[in-house]
Amino acid sequence: QLHVVESGGAVVQPGGSLRLSCKASLVNLDFYGIGWFRQAPGKEREGVACISEKGRDSDVAGSVKGRFTISRDSAENTVYLQMNSLKPEDSAVYSCAVDPAPYGLCNFQARRYEYWGQGTQVTVSS
């Protein structure tokens, strides 16, 4: 069973930065599409960023464009979400998800992702 683990969430002041990490056991993440999603209390889950197999394609949501970046580190078998210029409205539980389909694409459709982590809390507050 593929096990996904996120880390890096914290409390940060507005304008600050965080880097979230997504790791998975038993698989090489390079061969899978990966998505980062977030959900704040009382709000629907939102796709934040995605990256395709081997990082050929990536995208971020309009709400975070210019501030968030998704990337892979093959040597570490890790996918990162770099978050800069954080705003209070970025506060949420951030989850990493793995699409097990071959030649995984970058997409924001949560139903395409089969394996999810427990999430990591990001709180942006002064």
Side-chain angles (χ1 to χ4, degrees), residues 81-105:
L81 182 67
Q82 178 67 43
M83 306 186 297
N84 299 327
S85 302
L86 283 162
K87 305 175 181 180
E89 51 263 43
D90 294 319
S91 297
V93 174
Y94 284 71
S95 298
C96 173
V98 178
D99 175 4
Y103 311 107
L105 302 176

Side-chain angles (χ1 to χ4, degrees), residues 54-113:
K54 299 182 181 178
R56 293 171 297 175
D57 183 32
S58 65
D59 198 7
V60 295
S63 58
V64 303
K65 196 172 291 289
R67 301 188 297 122
F68 289 14
T69 303
I70 187 171
S71 63
R72 291 184 181 274
D73 185 329
S74 298
E76 297 293 326
N77 195 28
T78 300
V79 174
Y80 296 107
L81 182 67
Q82 178 67 43
M83 306 186 297
N84 299 327
S85 302
L86 283 162
K87 305 175 181 180
E89 51 263 43
D90 294 319
S91 297
V93 174
Y94 284 71
S95 298
C96 173
V98 178
D99 175 4
Y103 311 107
L105 302 176
C106 167
N107 74 81
F108 291 117
Q109 298 177 42
R111 62 182 176 84
R112 295 291 300 269
Y113 295 91

Side-chain angles (χ1 to χ4, degrees), residues 8 11 14 18 20 25 33 41 53 62 67 83 85 88 90 98 101 103 107 111 113 116 118 120-123 126:
V11 178
L18 283 175
L20 305 184
S25 60
E53 177 204 21
R67 301 188 297 122
M83 306 186 297
S85 302
D90 294 319
V98 178
Y103 311 107
N107 74 81
R111 62 182 176 84
Y113 295 91
W116 293 76
Q118 295 281 58
T120 185
Q121 177 70 49
V122 172
T123 301
S126 55

